[in-house]
Amino acid sequence: MRLSTVLMIAATAGTTLHAADRTKPNIILIMADDLGCMDVGAFNPKTFYETPNIDGLAKRGMMFTQAYAACCVCSPTRGSMMTGKYPPRFGITDFIPGARNAKLKSAPNANHLPLEELTVAEALRDGGYATFFAGKWHLGGGEFYPGAQGFPNELDNGGKNANPQFWYPRSGIPVPDPKDDPKTTDRIADEAVKFIGEHKAKPFFAYLPFLAVHTPIGARADLVAKYKKKAEGAPADSWGKEHESKLRLVQNHAAYAAMLEQLDTAIGRILAAVNDNGLTEKTVVVFTSDNGGLATSEGWPTSNLPLRAGKGWPYEGGVREPLIVCAPGIAKAGSRCDVPVMSTDFFPTFLKLADLELKPQQHLDGVSMLPLLQGEAKPRGKPLYWHYPHYGNQGGAPQGAIRDGDWKLIEWFEDGSLELYNIPQDIGEAKNLVKQNPEKVKELHAKLIAWRTRGSLICGFVVRYWSVIWPTPAICLTTMPGAVERTSKSLGF
């Protein structure tokens, strides 16, 4: 049964659909770590890397050419996907633990996703879905692990000396040899393939946040050798600057390419398992990343050109993501959508696909992508916002941003400086149009400040906990209502 038929039945069957679980589509959410748009062949035919399985998924589904992460670093984006909220609402605005200080003292950053948040996994589980998790959580360890947020309780992080951000199902599948699977890419695929085979009779939601391609780089020796040979014909290393940070300008990193190929192959195995179990027409597959590619520090493994900068920065290279949604019978094969979307949108989209009631008090900032998947070029209707009151490991400084229509405004909190770009006309954000468009600057800056102040962010919280050397009212905001009490308690305030 095709998904379009499923949705038609859902629209006419009322409550009877919930008794017939098999009519609900499966949902598989695959997330790479630190993978930029320009690393993927479907988004960049000139890429040095090879991603045939991801590219094949794009041919069967819809590519979103202007998809954004809710933050330029990982944990906040992961939380936005789980909650449907902007990161300040749940108190995680930097990677966990974060908290670098420089000219400004870093804003508080929660070390876990509050258990009071209703996650998309919990909503789908309560709607009759089996849920599955394997990989990098990075939203809290101990009692705040994925098993407390809608995924099975039988998850293990490998013992008390293991990194609490990584979790895998307890099973009889042998742990791979690190030299063969240094990022546990194959293990995640093994567990996913097993889960799919065991749950083909009931709708499921599988969340697969891979560790690749995050540093430290880990890749199989045979694949590294392959790309070292390929790199002999690639452009030599070339470098530029992003503010004061060194910036990679070319893609030719053999070990990074090898790590990405192993990830792509694992994704291919998961897609094959869906097909082998007769579930292709009944399964929505979503592929994305948590922030842009790493280009300005920590080994400088990739380049995001023509997008500017990378992970840790508010520019397109830091927040624009590869996003592919394959929804048979709903999204036209090989289609593209140019409407801006964000990681907050997954929650309401998945509920719509599953014919479950929306939860607007939870996914406050998400907008369902279902009309876009069905081919409607429907504008989002409201701006996109970013709030990163921290110093990143990648060289970036505290900042906020807004994307409204074609325009994007960035505000740097240290000195209050502003940057304005017309994204469709200047995808590389090379020409700051602040002086040429004072009225547009005024309009967007007012919207950005209003978003941080109008009952959506609580100024008094930061007045107490964010000391500044260069004072400006634009930075005295960090936490949204409903999160203030939880965040302050979790941080010991």
Side-chain angles (χ1 to χ4, degrees):
M1 183 181 294
R2 295 177 67 82
L3 288 179
S4 56
T5 307
V6 169
L7 291 180
M8 183 172 66
I9 294 172
T12 59
T15 58
T16 61
L17 175 64
H18 301 287
D21 282 341
R22 186 59 271 166
T23 61
K24 293 175 179 288
N26 306 309
I27 301 171
I28 300 177
L29 173 58
I30 301 171
M31 186 171 69
D33 195 346
D34 289 1
L35 184 71
C37 273
M38 295 300 109
D39 293 344
V40 178
F43 292 87
N44 176 21
K46 296 181 180 180
T47 183
F48 174 73
Y49 317 118
E50 299 176 16
T51 55
N53 291 294
I54 299 171
D55 302 343
L57 188 66
K59 291 177 182 177
R60 295 196 294 111
M62 176 177 284
M63 290 174 51
F64 286 81
T65 63
Q66 299 191 68
Y68 290 97
C71 188
C72 56
V73 296
C74 52
S75 297
T77 299
R78 294 164 190 269
S80 75
M81 294 164 65
M82 288 293 102
T83 65
K85 294 178 178 179
Y86 283 121
R89 289 195 190 273
F90 49 83
I92 303 174
T93 48
D94 200 1
F95 75 95
I96 296 173
R100 280 174 170 248
N101 296 324
K103 185 176 182 180
L104 305 180
K105 183 178 180 181
S106 178
N109 187 53
N111 63 6
H112 62 266
L113 182 67
L115 297 181
E116 295 90 339
E117 295 288 351
L118 175 72
T119 69
V120 65
E122 290 174 302
L124 290 171
R125 178 200 63 193
D126 295 346
Y129 275 68
T131 62
F132 174 83
F133 180 94
K136 181 177 178 179
W137 178 237
H138 214 174
L139 290 172
E143 64 178 309
F144 304 103
Y145 79 128
Q149 297 283 17
F151 297 101
N153 293 326
E154 293 75 29
L155 290 172
D156 184 24
N157 70 344
K160 57 186 177 182
N161 294 323
N163 191 321
Q165 62 186 309
F166 306 134
W167 298 86
Y168 304 90
R170 294 191 181 104
S171 71
I173 296 177
V175 177
D177 189 316
K179 70 179 176 60
D180 298 321
D181 192 17
K183 304 300 287 190
T184 71
T185 298
D186 293 339
R187 180 180 181 184
I188 294 171
D190 289 343
E191 299 282 6
V193 168
K194 180 174 181 285
F195 171 82
I196 291 168
E198 293 175 345
H199 290 79
K200 57 186 176 183
K202 181 180 180 179
F204 60 77
F205 169 56
Y207 176 35
L208 309 174
F210 284 88
L211 285 61
V213 290
H214 196 290
T215 56
I217 291 174
R220 289 194 344 236
D222 61 316
L223 293 177
V224 174
K226 168 187 172 179
Y227 285 100
K228 281 185 176 179
K229 186 172 181 61
K230 182 176 181 178
E232 293 174 1
D237 285 350
S238 180
W239 305 95
K241 290 190 73 174
E242 181 54 69
H243 291 234
E244 298 304 314
S245 297
K246 179 181 175 182
L247 172 70
R248 175 177 281 275
L249 300 179
V250 298
Q251 294 179 347
N252 62 11
H253 198 297
Y256 183 86
M259 182 167 55
L260 179 51
E261 178 172 327
Q262 191 166 4
L263 170 62
D264 182 79
T265 300
I267 291 171
R269 288 181 54 218
I270 293 165
L271 298 177
V274 171
N275 186 65
D276 292 346
N277 284 282
L279 300 175
T280 297
E281 297 300 319
K282 305 171 184 175
T283 303
V284 175
V285 181
V286 179
F287 172 79
T288 191
S289 180
D290 58 347
N291 46 249
L294 181 58
T296 59
S297 70
E298 300 170 284
W300 299 268
T302 196
S303 171
N304 299 300
L305 291 178
L307 305 181
R308 182 173 174 179
K311 178 182 179 180
W313 297 85
Y315 302 111
E316 295 293 286
V319 293
R320 188 180 287 211
E321 302 308 310
L323 174 59
I324 300 166
V325 180
C326 184
I330 299 175
K332 183 180 178 181
S335 58
R336 294 164 57 99
C337 178
D338 299 324
V339 176
V341 296
M342 189 175 258
S343 51
T344 52
D345 299 341
F346 292 160
F347 197 141
T349 302
F350 293 170
L351 292 186
K352 278 288 190 180
L353 287 168
D355 188 44
L356 296 173
E357 291 185 6
L358 293 180
K359 300 182 181 296
Q361 296 307 308
Q362 174 59 45
H363 47 76
L364 289 166
D365 304 307
V367 176
S368 173
M369 296 184 287
L370 184 56
L372 301 178
L373 292 169
Q374 294 171 328
E376 298 180 24
K378 183 179 179 181
R380 184 180 185 83
K382 56 183 179 180
L384 298 172
Y385 295 97
W386 292 268
H387 187 65
Y388 185 63
H390 307 281
Y391 291 91
N393 296 346
Q394 302 77 29
Q399 36 79 12
I402 176 175
R403 169 85 193 260
D404 191 7
D406 291 344
W407 295 94
K408 181 177 174 185
L409 181 84
I410 299 170
E411 177 184 11
W412 295 96
F413 296 160
E414 281 190 345
D415 58 7
S417 61
L418 301 172
E419 299 176 19
L420 178 71
Y421 302 101
N422 185 300
I423 299 301
Q425 295 179 8
D426 181 19
I427 195 172
E429 296 165 291
K431 188 174 182 181
N432 184 357
L433 300 175
V434 164
K435 292 182 180 179
Q436 294 92 326
N437 297 273
E439 290 304 313
K440 180 59 68 174
V441 171
K442 183 178 179 181
E443 172 196 342
L444 294 184
H445 196 208
K447 288 183 178 180
L448 183 58
I449 292 174
W451 174 72
R452 293 195 299 244
T453 57
R454 64 170 188 267
S456 55
L457 292 156
I458 304 300
C459 184
F461 184 74
V462 181
V463 169
R464 293 169 58 200
Y465 298 114
W466 190 351
S467 60
V468 297
I469 296 173
W470 193 91
T472 169
I475 61 172
C476 67
L477 311 150
T478 181
T479 302
M480 294 187 175
V484 174
E485 182 178 356
R486 291 195 301 268
T487 303
S488 62
K489 285 183 178 178
S490 68
L491 293 171
F493 292 147

